[in-house]
Amino acid sequence: MTFHPDILCPFCGLGCGDIRIDRDQSGIAPRPSGCPQADRLFRRSMAVPTDARLDGAAIPMDDAIAEAVRLLGSSRAPLIAGLTADVEGVLAALSLAERIGATVDHERSDALFRNMAVLRRFGWSVTTLAELRNRCDLVLVVGPDPAAAFPRLWERWVVPEPAFAGGNGRSVVFLGGEPLPETVRCLGARVETSGLDTGAETDLATLVGRLRTALAGRLAAGDPMAALATRLRSARYAVVVWAAGLFEGPQPDLIVEGLVRLIRTVDGTTRCAGLPLSGADNLIGANQACGWRTGFPLRTGFDGGGPLHDPERFDWHSRLRDADVTLWISAFRPETPPLTTGGSVIMLAPPETIVAPEPVLFIPVGTPGIDHPGDVFRTDGVVALHAGALIDRGLPSVADVIGRMLAAIGQNAETREAAGC
Ligand code: SF4
């Protein structure tokens, strides 16, 4: 048995670097980390089937690559989605999309585009996790507790005393959502919720609107929302945190818009910034890579030759219905959402993945940070993190598999050219 301390976790985008792993001949297992995602996803067995499958039957990898190329080459409307891979895997997927005229999107891009719709219209002022930890003395959490998706947010970035807050300590106020029991345990006396979410006004957009009204000085002094407005204005550095992917109800971007306007108002009198959290499974890295390569965010298609971006038309949920072939990439988690499509699915995923119905073609791949090294971006988009390898199960990376597909496409093209086709 060997012990590995301080392992980087690539899963939710917080980039915790203190995961402790035990490894023996049977595989790897994490020591309890306080994070249900890490405790589940770092548990990998050496005894996994590493064969590709065609219609459920094992086939050699060379045949799987050839079949993938045949399917994608004959497609009229290919989709490359899921896209949960390290940066190298995403860049390879973008090269393939460009080559075959596919559309690209990330499984979790809903949360990203709820924020980006507002960023495009208004711009925004956002901060980093390091600023949250080191400078912020008042955290305003809007909506559901982000710990549901980012389990160690509070422990890692808010519990440590701020280094530059002038000895004020810090408070965490929840608006329109309750802290999870683990959050209450973790934050203790820092958490405040009382008096803000009453009666019919638990609707998030209404609550944000009411706080903006209070900031404009149009609520009575005894109103709890007026008191919160006063606290925001008197904080040294307030940070408004939200996880748009957890917002429920129609038009979540309107809530984000209200928050962006609110932050702008407070920022006129004291420091205030937003911290929009979205970024599991290298969502932010995939979006960055798409920007470097195409000049556009995710939800970009190459079916017209050059890249074309359309956040509605190229949303994978709707594109999946029209795609005759989908290449679904899911390198981080052995799980996939239901894929409702009349077309064929080629899946690149960890070998532990239980998928029903069985895709036409399944190619097992390794997980970045477990089976091979890889780069992922933190949720605040300012830090690229390098995760190392922990075990060797003979699994290729997404970049390896797609690189082989691209090489085969190139060879086929050369063969056709030589034959005068
Ligand atoms: S909070 Fe996120 S980065 Fe940290 S251990 Fe859990 S899944 Fe990994």
Side-chain angles (χ1 to χ4, degrees), residues 1-333:
M1 170 95 69
T2 53
F3 172 61
H4 301 260
D6 299 332
I7 297 299
L8 182 89
C9 175
F11 296 115
C12 86
L14 287 187
C16 301
D18 61 348
I19 306 299
R20 297 168 304 155
I21 302 286
D22 288 315
R23 186 182 70 179
D24 63 18
Q25 288 174 340
S26 66
I28 55 171
R31 295 192 179 176
S33 66
C35 172
Q37 291 193 43
D39 290 356
R40 182 168 54 89
L41 295 170
F42 269 108
R43 189 171 297 280
R44 304 288 171 112
S45 167
M46 292 297 288
V48 289
T50 55
D51 286 328
R53 303 192 299 269
L54 178 63
D55 294 323
I59 56 168
M61 183 61 94
D62 286 350
D63 294 357
I65 298 291
E67 181 61 13
V69 168
R70 189 190 69 73
L71 284 165
L72 291 166
S74 62
S75 170
R76 286 169 293 100
L79 168 66
I80 300 179
L83 210 60
T84 69
D86 58 345
V87 170
E88 200 185 352
V90 173
L91 287 170
L94 287 163
S95 296
L96 180 62
E98 203 168 1
R99 187 74 194 246
I100 64 174
T103 301
V104 293
D105 193 12
H106 190 283
E107 178 186 347
R108 298 172 184 271
S109 63
D110 264 357
L112 184 75
F113 281 93
R114 289 174 177 191
N115 290 324
M116 283 183 56
V118 179
L119 173 61
R120 281 190 173 124
R121 289 201 296 269
F122 301 104
W124 64 14
S125 172
V126 293
T127 190
T128 63
L129 288 165
E131 288 276 286
L132 172 69
R133 180 165 63 192
N134 291 326
R135 298 188 183 278
C136 165
D137 59 344
L138 177 61
V139 185
L140 176 64
V141 187
V142 179
D145 186 345
F150 303 90
R152 296 176 72 201
L153 172 68
W154 308 123
E155 174 210 330
R156 299 269 304 170
W157 299 98
V158 173
V159 167
E161 284 299 308
F164 309 111
N168 282 0
R170 75 174 124 227
S171 304
V172 183
V173 179
F174 279 75
L175 177 65
E178 291 293 322
L180 297 171
E182 311 85 71
T183 298
V184 174
R185 269 197 296 279
C186 180
L187 292 177
R190 297 178 188 83
V191 179
E192 299 172 39
T193 54
S194 59
L196 293 170
D197 308 342
T198 53
E201 288 180 0
T202 49
D203 167 67
L204 207 46
T206 306
L207 283 167
V208 173
R210 218 170 129 66
L211 180 53
R212 290 182 58 210
T213 305
L215 283 164
R218 297 204 296 269
L219 286 187
D223 190 299
M225 205 64 90
L228 177 58
T230 302
R231 288 187 64 188
L232 278 170
R233 286 200 187 277
S234 56
R236 286 170 65 103
Y237 190 163
V239 173
V240 181
V241 179
W242 70 90
L246 301 176
F247 290 170
E248 291 181 350
Q251 297 189 294
D253 55 317
L254 288 186
I255 301 167
V256 178
E257 180 183 327
L259 293 174
V260 166
R261 290 179 184 275
L262 180 155
I263 290 162
R264 199 166 287 164
T265 302
V266 180
D267 205 26
T269 51
T270 185
R271 269 186 101 177
C272 183
L275 186 60
L277 294 168
S278 65
D281 299 345
N282 201 26
L283 168 62
I284 300 299
N287 195 52
Q288 306 266 40
C290 199
W292 306 331
R293 183 61 67 81
T294 70
F296 295 110
L298 291 163
R299 299 189 177 172
T300 287
F302 297 88
D303 55 351
L308 180 69
H309 170 66
D310 188 324
E312 276 82 42
R313 186 175 152 213
F314 295 147
D315 175 351
W316 71 263
H317 297 88
S318 53
R319 202 66 181 174
L320 189 63
R321 285 192 294 272
D322 304 328
D324 55 355
V325 178
T326 297
L327 175 61
W328 187 264
I329 300 168
S330 176
F332 288 100
R333 295 166 198 254

